[in-house]
Amino acid sequence: GRGETRRRGRACCTGKRVWARMSDSAQRIAAAKNEISAFSDMYNRMIKQCFEKCVDHFHDSELSLGENTCLDRCVGKYVEGQQKVGETMSKVTANMQGL
């Protein structure tokens, strides 16, 4: 009918309008998928950067004490940095929603 925004089961719009039309459970699922994707990306970047920084050679079957120490510090710093970024982003988002 008149003013209809859906045709053949597909939404006519993209972006925020589609998000607004999604059911609450569908929004939660989409948000969870986005969060998993972001975490996976962060984890993979952390592993790559810390491994490249800390692992010197592959002569031994196990990591040396120095490599273990370096990896522990690198991962700790990376996680701490990501937490600070997340906190800052939460504050920015809250401030933007309050405007």
Coordinates of all heavy atoms in Angstrom, one line a residue:
G1 N 0.8 -1.2 0.0 CA 0.0 0.0 0.0 C 0.8 1.2 0.0 O 2.0 1.2 -0.1
R2 N 0.1 2.3 0.2 CA 0.7 3.6 0.1 C 1.7 3.8 1.3 O 1.4 3.4 2.5 CB -0.4 4.7 0.2 CG 0.1 6.1 -0.2 CD -1.1 7.0 -0.2 NE -1.7 7.0 1.1 CZ -2.5 7.9 1.5 NH1 -3.0 8.8 0.7 NH2 -3.0 7.9 2.7
G3 N 2.9 4.4 1.1 CA 3.8 4.7 2.2 C 4.6 3.4 2.7 O 5.3 3.4 3.7
E4 N 4.4 2.3 1.9 CA 5.1 1.1 2.3 C 6.6 1.2 2.1 O 7.0 1.7 1.0 CB 4.5 -0.1 1.6 CG 4.7 -1.4 2.2 CD 3.7 -2.4 1.7 OE1 2.5 -2.2 1.9 OE2 4.2 -3.4 1.0
T5 N 7.4 0.7 3.0 CA 8.8 0.8 2.9 C 9.5 -0.5 2.6 O 10.7 -0.5 2.5 CB 9.4 1.5 4.2 OG1 9.1 0.6 5.3 CG2 8.9 2.9 4.4
R6 N 8.8 -1.6 2.5 CA 9.4 -2.9 2.3 C 8.8 -3.5 1.0 O 7.6 -3.3 0.7 CB 9.1 -3.8 3.4 CG 9.8 -3.3 4.7 CD 9.4 -4.2 5.9 NE 9.9 -5.6 5.7 CZ 11.2 -6.0 6.1 NH1 12.0 -5.1 6.6 NH2 11.5 -7.2 5.9
R7 N 9.6 -4.1 0.2 CA 9.2 -4.8 -1.0 C 9.8 -6.1 -1.1 O 11.0 -6.3 -0.9 CB 9.6 -4.0 -2.2 CG 8.8 -2.7 -2.3 CD 9.1 -2.0 -3.6 NE 8.5 -0.7 -3.6 CZ 8.9 0.3 -4.3 NH1 9.9 0.3 -5.1 NH2 8.3 1.5 -4.2
R8 N 9.0 -7.1 -1.2 CA 9.5 -8.5 -1.3 C 10.4 -8.9 -0.2 O 11.4 -9.5 -0.4 CB 10.1 -8.7 -2.7 CG 9.2 -8.5 -3.8 CD 9.9 -8.8 -5.1 NE 9.1 -8.3 -6.2 CZ 9.4 -8.3 -7.4 NH1 10.6 -8.7 -7.8 NH2 8.6 -7.8 -8.4
G9 N 10.1 -8.5 1.0 CA 10.8 -8.9 2.2 C 12.2 -8.2 2.4 O 12.9 -8.5 3.3
R10 N 12.5 -7.2 1.5 CA 13.8 -6.5 1.7 C 13.5 -5.1 2.1 O 12.6 -4.5 1.7 CB 14.6 -6.5 0.4 CG 15.1 -7.9 -0.1 CD 15.8 -7.8 -1.4 NE 14.8 -7.5 -2.4 CZ 15.1 -7.1 -3.6 NH1 16.4 -7.0 -4.0 NH2 14.2 -6.9 -4.5
A11 N 14.4 -4.7 3.0 CA 14.3 -3.3 3.5 C 14.7 -2.3 2.4 O 15.6 -2.6 1.6 CB 15.1 -3.0 4.7
C12 N 14.0 -1.2 2.3 CA 14.4 -0.3 1.2 C 15.5 0.6 1.6 O 16.1 1.3 0.8 CB 13.1 0.6 0.9 SG 12.8 1.8 2.2
C13 N 15.8 0.6 2.9 CA 16.8 1.6 3.3 C 18.1 0.9 3.9 O 18.1 -0.2 4.1 CB 16.2 2.4 4.5 SG 14.5 3.1 4.0
T14 N 19.1 1.7 4.1 CA 20.3 1.2 4.6 C 20.7 2.0 5.9 O 20.1 3.0 6.2 CB 21.5 1.3 3.6 OG1 21.7 2.6 3.2 CG2 21.2 0.4 2.4
G15 N 21.8 1.5 6.5 CA 22.3 2.3 7.6 C 21.5 2.4 8.8 O 20.9 1.4 9.3
K16 N 21.3 3.6 9.4 CA 20.6 3.8 10.6 C 19.1 3.4 10.5 O 18.6 2.9 11.5 CB 20.8 5.2 11.1 CG 22.1 5.6 11.5 CD 22.2 7.0 11.9 CE 23.7 7.4 12.3 NZ 23.8 8.8 12.7
R17 N 18.5 3.7 9.4 CA 17.1 3.3 9.2 C 16.9 1.8 9.3 O 15.9 1.4 9.9 CB 16.6 3.9 7.9 CG 16.4 5.4 8.1 CD 15.7 6.0 6.9 NE 16.7 6.4 5.9 CZ 16.5 6.9 4.7 NH1 15.3 6.9 4.3 NH2 17.5 7.2 4.0
V18 N 17.8 1.0 8.7 CA 17.6 -0.4 8.8 C 17.8 -0.8 10.2 O 17.1 -1.6 10.8 CB 18.6 -1.1 7.9 CG1 18.6 -2.6 8.2 CG2 18.2 -0.9 6.4
W19 N 18.8 -0.3 10.9 CA 19.1 -0.6 12.3 C 17.8 -0.3 13.2 O 17.4 -1.1 14.0 CB 20.3 0.1 12.8 CG 20.7 -0.2 14.2 CD1 20.3 0.5 15.3 CD2 21.4 -1.3 14.7 NE1 20.8 0.0 16.5 CE2 21.5 -1.2 16.1 CE3 22.1 -2.3 14.1 CZ2 22.2 -2.1 16.9 CZ3 22.8 -3.2 14.9 CH2 22.8 -3.1 16.2
A20 N 17.2 0.8 12.9 CA 16.1 1.2 13.7 C 14.9 0.3 13.4 O 14.0 0.1 14.3 CB 15.7 2.7 13.3
R21 N 14.8 -0.3 12.3 CA 13.7 -1.2 11.9 C 13.9 -2.6 12.4 O 13.0 -3.4 12.4 CB 13.5 -1.2 10.4 CG 13.1 0.1 9.8 CD 12.9 0.1 8.4 NE 11.7 -0.8 8.0 CZ 10.5 -0.3 7.9 NH1 10.2 0.9 8.1 NH2 9.5 -1.2 7.5
M22 N 15.2 -2.9 12.8 CA 15.4 -4.3 13.3 C 14.8 -4.5 14.7 O 14.7 -3.6 15.5 CB 17.0 -4.5 13.4 CG 17.7 -4.5 12.1 SD 19.5 -4.5 12.3 CE 19.8 -6.1 13.0
S23 N 14.4 -5.7 14.9 CA 13.8 -6.0 16.2 C 14.9 -5.9 17.3 O 16.1 -5.9 17.0 CB 13.3 -7.5 16.3 OG 14.4 -8.4 16.2
D24 N 14.5 -5.8 18.5 CA 15.5 -5.6 19.6 C 16.4 -6.8 19.7 O 17.6 -6.6 19.9 CB 14.7 -5.5 21.0 CG 15.6 -5.1 22.1 OD1 16.5 -4.2 21.9 OD2 15.5 -5.7 23.2
S25 N 15.9 -8.0 19.5 CA 16.8 -9.2 19.6 C 17.8 -9.2 18.4 O 18.9 -9.6 18.5 CB 16.0 -10.5 19.6 OG 15.2 -10.7 18.5
A26 N 17.3 -8.8 17.2 CA 18.2 -8.7 16.0 C 19.3 -7.7 16.2 O 20.4 -7.9 15.8 CB 17.4 -8.4 14.8
Q27 N 18.9 -6.6 16.9 CA 19.9 -5.5 17.2 C 21.0 -6.1 18.1 O 22.2 -5.8 18.0 CB 19.3 -4.3 17.7 CG 18.5 -3.5 16.7 CD 17.9 -2.3 17.3 OE1 18.0 -2.0 18.5 NE2 17.1 -1.5 16.5
R28 N 20.5 -6.8 19.2 CA 21.5 -7.4 20.1 C 22.4 -8.4 19.4 O 23.6 -8.4 19.7 CB 20.7 -8.0 21.3 CG 20.1 -7.0 22.2 CD 19.7 -7.7 23.6 NE 18.8 -8.8 23.4 CZ 17.5 -8.7 23.5 NH1 16.9 -7.5 23.9 NH2 16.7 -9.7 23.3
I29 N 21.9 -9.2 18.5 CA 22.7 -10.2 17.8 C 23.7 -9.5 16.9 O 24.9 -9.8 16.9 CB 21.8 -11.2 17.0 CG1 21.0 -12.1 18.0 CG2 22.6 -12.0 16.0 CD1 19.9 -12.9 17.3
A30 N 23.2 -8.5 16.2 CA 24.2 -7.7 15.3 C 25.2 -7.0 16.2 O 26.4 -7.0 15.8 CB 23.4 -6.7 14.5
A31 N 24.9 -6.5 17.3 CA 25.9 -5.8 18.2 C 26.9 -6.8 18.7 O 28.1 -6.5 18.8 CB 25.2 -5.1 19.3
A32 N 26.4 -8.0 19.1 CA 27.3 -9.0 19.6 C 28.2 -9.5 18.5 O 29.4 -9.7 18.7 CB 26.5 -10.2 20.1
K33 N 27.7 -9.6 17.3 CA 28.6 -10.0 16.1 C 29.7 -9.0 15.9 O 30.8 -9.3 15.7 CB 27.8 -10.3 14.9 CG 27.0 -11.6 14.9 CD 26.2 -11.7 13.6 CE 25.4 -13.0 13.6 NZ 24.7 -13.2 12.4
N34 N 29.3 -7.7 16.0 CA 30.2 -6.6 15.8 C 31.3 -6.6 16.9 O 32.5 -6.4 16.6 CB 29.5 -5.3 15.7 CG 28.8 -5.0 14.4 OD1 29.1 -5.7 13.4 ND2 27.8 -4.1 14.5
E35 N 30.9 -6.9 18.1 CA 31.8 -6.9 19.2 C 32.8 -8.1 19.1 O 34.0 -7.9 19.3 CB 31.0 -7.0 20.6 CG 31.9 -6.8 21.8 CD 31.1 -6.7 23.0 OE1 29.9 -6.3 23.0 OE2 31.7 -7.0 24.1
I36 N 32.3 -9.2 18.7 CA 33.2 -10.4 18.5 C 34.2 -10.1 17.4 O 35.4 -10.4 17.5 CB 32.3 -11.7 18.2 CG1 31.6 -12.1 19.4 CG2 33.2 -12.8 17.6 CD1 30.5 -13.2 19.2
S37 N 33.7 -9.5 16.3 CA 34.6 -9.2 15.2 C 35.7 -8.2 15.6 O 36.9 -8.3 15.3 CB 33.8 -8.6 14.1 OG 34.6 -8.2 13.0
A38 N 35.3 -7.2 16.4 CA 36.2 -6.2 16.9 C 37.3 -6.8 17.8 O 38.5 -6.5 17.8 CB 35.5 -5.0 17.6
F39 N 36.8 -7.7 18.7 CA 37.7 -8.3 19.7 C 38.7 -9.2 18.9 O 39.9 -9.2 19.2 CB 36.9 -9.1 20.7 CG 37.8 -9.9 21.7 CD1 38.3 -9.2 22.8 CD2 38.1 -11.2 21.5 CE1 39.2 -9.8 23.6 CE2 39.0 -11.8 22.4 CZ 39.5 -11.2 23.4
S40 N 38.2 -10.0 18.0 CA 39.0 -10.9 17.2 C 40.1 -10.1 16.4 O 41.3 -10.5 16.4 CB 38.1 -11.7 16.2 OG 38.9 -12.5 15.4
D41 N 39.7 -9.0 15.9 CA 40.7 -8.1 15.2 C 41.7 -7.6 16.1 O 42.9 -7.6 15.8 CB 39.9 -6.9 14.5 CG 40.9 -6.0 13.7 OD1 41.6 -6.6 12.8 OD2 40.8 -4.8 14.0
M42 N 41.3 -7.1 17.3 CA 42.2 -6.6 18.3 C 43.2 -7.7 18.7 O 44.4 -7.5 18.8 CB 41.5 -6.0 19.5 CG 42.3 -5.4 20.5 SD 43.0 -6.4 21.9 CE 41.6 -7.2 22.5
Y43 N 42.7 -8.9 19.0 CA 43.5 -10.0 19.4 C 44.5 -10.4 18.4 O 45.7 -10.5 18.7 CB 42.6 -11.2 19.7 CG 43.3 -12.4 20.2 CD1 43.7 -12.6 21.5 CD2 43.6 -13.4 19.2 CE1 44.4 -13.7 21.8 CE2 44.2 -14.6 19.6 CZ 44.7 -14.7 20.9 OH 45.4 -15.8 21.3
N44 N 44.1 -10.5 17.1 CA 45.0 -10.8 16.1 C 46.1 -9.8 15.9 O 47.3 -10.1 15.7 CB 44.3 -11.0 14.7 CG 43.5 -12.3 14.8 OD1 43.8 -13.3 15.4 ND2 42.3 -12.3 14.0
R45 N 45.8 -8.5 16.0 CA 46.8 -7.4 15.9 C 47.8 -7.5 17.0 O 49.0 -7.3 16.9 CB 46.1 -6.0 15.8 CG 45.6 -5.7 14.4 CD 45.0 -4.3 14.4 NE 43.7 -4.3 15.0 CZ 43.4 -3.4 16.0 NH1 44.3 -2.6 16.5 NH2 42.2 -3.5 16.5
M46 N 47.2 -7.8 18.3 CA 48.1 -7.9 19.4 C 49.1 -9.0 19.3 O 50.3 -8.9 19.5 CB 47.2 -8.1 20.7 CG 48.0 -8.3 22.0 SD 47.0 -8.7 23.4 CE 46.5 -10.3 22.9
I47 N 48.6 -10.2 18.9 CA 49.4 -11.4 18.7 C 50.5 -11.1 17.7 O 51.7 -11.4 17.9 CB 48.6 -12.6 18.3 CG1 47.6 -13.0 19.4 CG2 49.5 -13.8 17.9 CD1 48.3 -13.4 20.7
K48 N 50.1 -10.5 16.6 CA 51.1 -10.2 15.5 C 52.2 -9.2 16.0 O 53.4 -9.5 15.8 CB 50.4 -9.6 14.3 CG 51.3 -9.3 13.1 CD 50.5 -8.8 11.9 CE 51.3 -8.6 10.7 NZ 52.4 -7.6 10.8
Q49 N 51.8 -8.1 16.6 CA 52.7 -7.1 17.0 C 53.6 -7.6 18.1 O 54.8 -7.4 18.1 CB 52.0 -5.9 17.5 CG 51.4 -5.1 16.3 CD 50.6 -3.9 16.8 OE1 50.4 -3.6 18.0 NE2 50.1 -3.1 15.8
C50 N 53.1 -8.3 19.1 CA 53.9 -8.8 20.2 C 54.8 -9.9 19.8 O 56.0 -9.9 20.2 CB 53.0 -9.2 21.4 SG 52.1 -7.8 22.2
F51 N 54.3 -10.8 18.9 CA 55.2 -11.9 18.4 C 56.4 -11.3 17.7 O 57.5 -11.7 17.9 CB 54.4 -12.8 17.6 CG 55.1 -14.0 17.2 CD1 55.2 -15.1 18.0 CD2 55.8 -14.1 15.9 CE1 55.9 -16.3 17.6 CE2 56.5 -15.2 15.5 CZ 56.6 -16.3 16.4
E52 N 56.1 -10.4 16.7 CA 57.2 -9.8 15.9 C 58.2 -9.0 16.8 O 59.4 -9.0 16.5 CB 56.6 -8.8 14.9 CG 55.9 -9.6 13.8 CD 55.2 -8.6 12.8 OE1 55.2 -7.4 13.0 OE2 54.6 -9.2 11.8
K53 N 57.7 -8.4 17.9 CA 58.6 -7.6 18.8 C 59.4 -8.5 19.7 O 60.6 -8.2 19.9 CB 57.7 -6.7 19.6 CG 58.5 -5.9 20.6 CD 57.7 -5.0 21.5 CE 58.5 -4.3 22.5 NZ 57.7 -3.5 23.4
C54 N 58.8 -9.6 20.2 CA 59.4 -10.4 21.2 C 60.1 -11.7 20.9 O 61.0 -12.1 21.6 CB 58.4 -10.7 22.3 SG 57.7 -9.2 23.1
V55 N 59.7 -12.3 19.8 CA 60.3 -13.6 19.5 C 61.4 -13.4 18.5 O 61.2 -13.0 17.3 CB 59.2 -14.6 18.9 CG1 59.8 -15.9 18.6 CG2 58.1 -14.8 20.0
D56 N 62.6 -13.7 18.9 CA 63.8 -13.5 18.1 C 64.1 -14.6 17.1 O 64.6 -14.3 16.0 CB 65.0 -13.3 19.1 CG 64.9 -12.0 19.9 OD1 64.3 -11.0 19.5 OD2 65.3 -12.0 21.1
H57 N 64.0 -15.8 17.5 CA 64.4 -16.9 16.7 C 63.6 -18.1 17.0 O 62.8 -18.2 17.9 CB 65.9 -17.2 16.9 CG 66.2 -17.5 18.3 ND1 66.0 -18.7 18.9 CD2 66.7 -16.7 19.3 CE1 66.4 -18.7 20.2 NE2 66.8 -17.5 20.5
F58 N 63.7 -19.1 16.1 CA 62.9 -20.3 16.2 C 63.9 -21.6 16.5 O 63.5 -22.7 16.1 CB 62.1 -20.5 15.0 CG 61.1 -19.4 14.7 CD1 61.5 -18.4 13.9 CD2 59.9 -19.4 15.4 CE1 60.6 -17.4 13.6 CE2 59.0 -18.4 15.2 CZ 59.4 -17.3 14.3
H59 N 65.0 -21.3 17.1 CA 66.0 -22.4 17.3 C 65.5 -23.4 18.4 O 65.8 -24.5 18.3 CB 67.4 -21.9 17.6 CG 67.9 -21.0 16.5 ND1 68.2 -21.4 15.2 CD2 68.2 -19.6 16.5 CE1 68.6 -20.4 14.5 NE2 68.6 -19.3 15.3
D60 N 64.8 -22.8 19.4 CA 64.4 -23.7 20.5 C 62.9 -24.0 20.3 O 62.1 -23.3 19.7 CB 64.6 -22.9 21.8 CG 66.1 -22.5 22.0 OD1 66.9 -23.3 21.7 OD2 66.3 -21.4 22.5
S61 N 62.5 -25.1 21.0 CA 61.1 -25.5 20.9 C 60.2 -24.7 21.8 O 59.0 -24.7 21.7 CB 61.0 -27.0 21.2 OG 61.4 -27.3 22.5
E62 N 60.8 -24.0 22.8 CA 60.1 -23.2 23.7 C 60.6 -21.8 23.8 O 61.7 -21.6 23.4 CB 60.1 -23.9 25.1 CG 59.5 -25.2 25.1 CD 59.3 -25.7 26.6 OE1 59.3 -24.9 27.5 OE2 59.1 -27.0 26.7
L63 N 59.8 -20.9 24.3 CA 60.2 -19.5 24.4 C 61.2 -19.4 25.5 O 61.2 -20.0 26.5 CB 59.0 -18.6 24.7 CG 57.9 -18.5 23.7 CD1 56.7 -17.8 24.2 CD2 58.4 -17.9 22.4
S64 N 62.2 -18.4 25.3 CA 63.2 -18.2 26.3 C 62.5 -17.3 27.4 O 61.4 -16.8 27.3 CB 64.4 -17.4 25.7 OG 64.0 -16.1 25.4
L65 N 63.2 -17.2 28.5 CA 62.7 -16.4 29.6 C 62.5 -14.9 29.2 O 61.5 -14.3 29.5 CB 63.7 -16.4 30.8 CG 63.3 -15.6 32.0 CD1 62.0 -16.0 32.6 CD2 64.4 -15.7 33.1
G66 N 63.5 -14.4 28.4 CA 63.4 -13.1 27.9 C 62.2 -12.9 27.0 O 61.5 -11.9 27.0
E67 N 62.0 -13.9 26.1 CA 60.8 -13.8 25.2 C 59.5 -13.8 26.0 O 58.6 -13.1 25.7 CB 60.9 -14.9 24.2 CG 62.0 -14.8 23.2 CD 62.2 -16.0 22.3 OE1 61.9 -17.1 22.8 OE2 62.7 -15.8 21.2
N68 N 59.4 -14.7 27.0 CA 58.2 -14.8 27.8 C 57.9 -13.5 28.5 O 56.8 -13.0 28.6 CB 58.4 -16.0 28.8 CG 57.9 -17.3 28.3 OD1 56.8 -17.3 27.6 ND2 58.6 -18.3 28.6
T69 N 59.0 -12.9 29.1 CA 58.8 -11.7 29.8 C 58.4 -10.6 28.9 O 57.5 -9.8 29.2 CB 60.2 -11.3 30.5 OG1 60.6 -12.3 31.4 CG2 60.1 -10.0 31.2
C70 N 59.0 -10.5 27.7 CA 58.6 -9.5 26.7 C 57.2 -9.7 26.3 O 56.4 -8.7 26.2 CB 59.6 -9.6 25.5 SG 59.2 -8.4 24.2
L71 N 56.8 -10.9 26.0 CA 55.4 -11.1 25.6 C 54.4 -10.8 26.7 O 53.4 -10.2 26.4 CB 55.2 -12.6 25.2 CG 55.8 -13.0 23.8 CD1 55.8 -14.5 23.7 CD2 55.1 -12.3 22.7
D72 N 54.7 -11.1 27.9 CA 53.8 -10.8 29.0 C 53.7 -9.3 29.2 O 52.5 -8.8 29.3 CB 54.4 -11.4 30.3 CG 53.5 -11.2 31.5 OD1 52.3 -11.6 31.4 OD2 53.9 -10.7 32.6
R73 N 54.8 -8.5 29.1 CA 54.7 -7.1 29.1 C 53.9 -6.5 27.9 O 53.1 -5.6 28.1 CB 56.1 -6.5 29.2 CG 56.7 -6.7 30.6 CD 58.1 -6.1 30.6 NE 58.7 -6.4 31.9 CZ 60.0 -6.4 32.1 NH1 60.8 -6.1 31.2 NH2 60.5 -6.6 33.3
C74 N 54.3 -7.0 26.8 CA 53.6 -6.5 25.5 C 52.1 -6.7 25.6 O 51.4 -5.7 25.3 CB 54.2 -7.2 24.3 SG 53.6 -6.6 22.7
V75 N 51.7 -7.9 25.9 CA 50.2 -8.2 26.0 C 49.6 -7.3 27.0 O 48.5 -6.7 26.8 CB 50.0 -9.7 26.2 CG1 48.5 -9.9 26.5 CG2 50.4 -10.5 25.0
G76 N 50.2 -7.2 28.2 CA 49.7 -6.4 29.3 C 49.5 -4.9 28.8 O 48.4 -4.3 29.1
K77 N 50.5 -4.4 28.2 CA 50.4 -3.0 27.7 C 49.4 -2.8 26.6 O 48.6 -1.8 26.6 CB 51.8 -2.5 27.2 CG 52.8 -2.2 28.3 CD 54.1 -1.8 27.7 CE 55.1 -1.5 28.8 NZ 56.4 -1.0 28.3
Y78 N 49.3 -3.8 25.7 CA 48.3 -3.7 24.7 C 46.9 -3.7 25.2 O 46.0 -2.9 24.8 CB 48.5 -4.9 23.7 CG 48.0 -4.6 22.3 CD1 48.7 -4.1 21.3 CD2 46.6 -5.0 22.0 CE1 48.2 -3.9 20.0 CE2 46.1 -4.7 20.8 CZ 46.9 -4.2 19.8 OH 46.4 -4.0 18.6
V79 N 46.6 -4.7 26.1 CA 45.3 -4.8 26.7 C 45.0 -3.5 27.5 O 43.9 -3.0 27.4 CB 45.2 -6.0 27.6 CG1 43.9 -6.0 28.5 CG2 45.3 -7.3 26.8
E80 N 45.9 -3.0 28.3 CA 45.7 -1.7 29.0 C 45.4 -0.6 28.1 O 44.5 0.2 28.3 CB 46.9 -1.4 29.8 CG 46.8 -0.2 30.7 CD 48.0 0.1 31.6 OE1 48.8 -0.8 31.8 OE2 48.2 1.3 31.9
G81 N 46.1 -0.5 27.0 CA 45.9 0.5 26.0 C 44.5 0.4 25.4 O 43.8 1.4 25.2
Q82 N 44.1 -0.8 25.0 CA 42.7 -1.0 24.5 C 41.6 -0.7 25.5 O 40.6 -0.1 25.1 CB 42.6 -2.5 24.0 CG 43.4 -2.8 22.8 CD 43.0 -2.0 21.6 OE1 41.9 -1.9 21.2 NE2 44.0 -1.5 20.9
Q83 N 41.9 -1.0 26.7 CA 40.9 -0.6 27.7 C 40.7 0.9 27.8 O 39.6 1.4 27.9 CB 41.3 -1.2 29.1 CG 41.1 -2.7 29.2 CD 41.6 -3.3 30.5 OE1 42.5 -2.7 31.1 NE2 41.1 -4.4 30.9
K84 N 41.8 1.6 27.8 CA 41.8 3.1 27.9 C 41.1 3.7 26.6 O 40.3 4.6 26.8 CB 43.2 3.7 28.0 CG 43.8 3.4 29.4 CD 45.1 4.1 29.5 CE 45.7 3.8 30.9 NZ 47.0 4.4 31.1
V85 N 41.3 3.1 25.5 CA 40.7 3.5 24.3 C 39.2 3.3 24.4 O 38.3 4.1 24.1 CB 41.2 2.9 23.0 CG1 40.4 3.1 21.8 CG2 42.7 3.3 22.7
G86 N 38.8 2.1 24.9 CA 37.4 1.7 25.1 C 36.7 2.7 26.0 O 35.5 3.1 25.8
E87 N 37.3 3.0 27.1 CA 36.8 3.9 28.1 C 36.5 5.3 27.5 O 35.5 5.9 27.7 CB 37.6 4.0 29.3 CG 37.7 2.8 30.2 CD 38.8 2.8 31.2 OE1 39.5 3.8 31.4 OE2 39.0 1.8 31.9
T88 N 37.5 5.8 26.7 CA 37.4 7.1 26.1 C 36.3 7.1 25.1 O 35.5 8.0 25.0 CB 38.8 7.4 25.4 OG1 39.8 7.5 26.4 CG2 38.7 8.8 24.7
M89 N 36.2 6.0 24.3 CA 35.1 5.9 23.3 C 33.8 5.9 23.9 O 32.8 6.5 23.4 CB 35.3 4.7 22.4 CG 36.6 4.7 21.5 SD 36.5 6.1 20.4 CE 35.2 5.7 19.3
S90 N 33.7 5.2 25.1 CA 32.4 5.2 25.8 C 32.0 6.5 26.3 O 30.8 6.9 26.2 CB 32.5 4.2 27.0 OG 32.6 2.9 26.5
K91 N 32.9 7.3 26.8 CA 32.7 8.7 27.2 C 32.2 9.6 26.1 O 31.3 10.3 26.2 CB 33.9 9.2 27.9 CG 34.2 8.6 29.3 CD 35.4 9.2 29.9 CE 35.8 8.5 31.2 NZ 37.0 8.9 31.8
V92 N 33.0 9.4 24.9 CA 32.6 10.2 23.8 C 31.2 9.9 23.3 O 30.4 10.8 23.0 CB 33.7 10.0 22.7 CG1 33.2 10.6 21.3 CG2 35.0 10.6 23.1
T93 N 30.9 8.6 23.2 CA 29.6 8.2 22.8 C 28.5 8.7 23.7 O 27.5 9.2 23.2 CB 29.6 6.6 22.7 OG1 30.5 6.2 21.7 CG2 28.2 6.2 22.2
A94 N 28.8 8.6 25.0 CA 27.8 9.1 26.0 C 27.6 10.6 25.8 O 26.4 11.1 25.9 CB 28.2 8.7 27.4
N95 N 28.6 11.3 25.6 CA 28.5 12.8 25.4 C 27.8 13.1 24.1 O 27.0 14.0 24.1 CB 29.9 13.4 25.4 CG 30.6 13.5 26.8 OD1 29.9 13.4 27.8 ND2 31.9 13.6 26.8
M96 N 28.0 12.3 23.1 CA 27.3 12.6 21.8 C 25.8 12.3 21.9 O 25.0 13.0 21.4 CB 27.9 11.8 20.7 CG 29.3 12.2 20.3 SD 30.1 11.2 19.1 CE 29.1 11.5 17.7
Q97 N 25.5 11.3 22.7 CA 24.1 10.9 22.9 C 23.4 11.9 23.8 O 22.2 12.1 23.6 CB 23.9 9.5 23.4 CG 24.3 8.4 22.4 CD 24.3 7.1 23.0 OE1 24.2 6.9 24.2 NE2 24.5 6.1 22.2
G98 N 24.1 12.6 24.6 CA 23.6 13.6 25.5 C 23.3 14.9 24.9 O 22.6 15.8 25.4
L99 N 23.8 15.1 23.7 CA 23.7 16.4 23.0 C 22.3 16.6 22.4 O 21.5 15.8 22.1 CB 24.7 16.6 21.8 CG 26.1 16.6 22.3 CD1 27.1 16.7 21.1 CD2 26.4 17.9 23.2

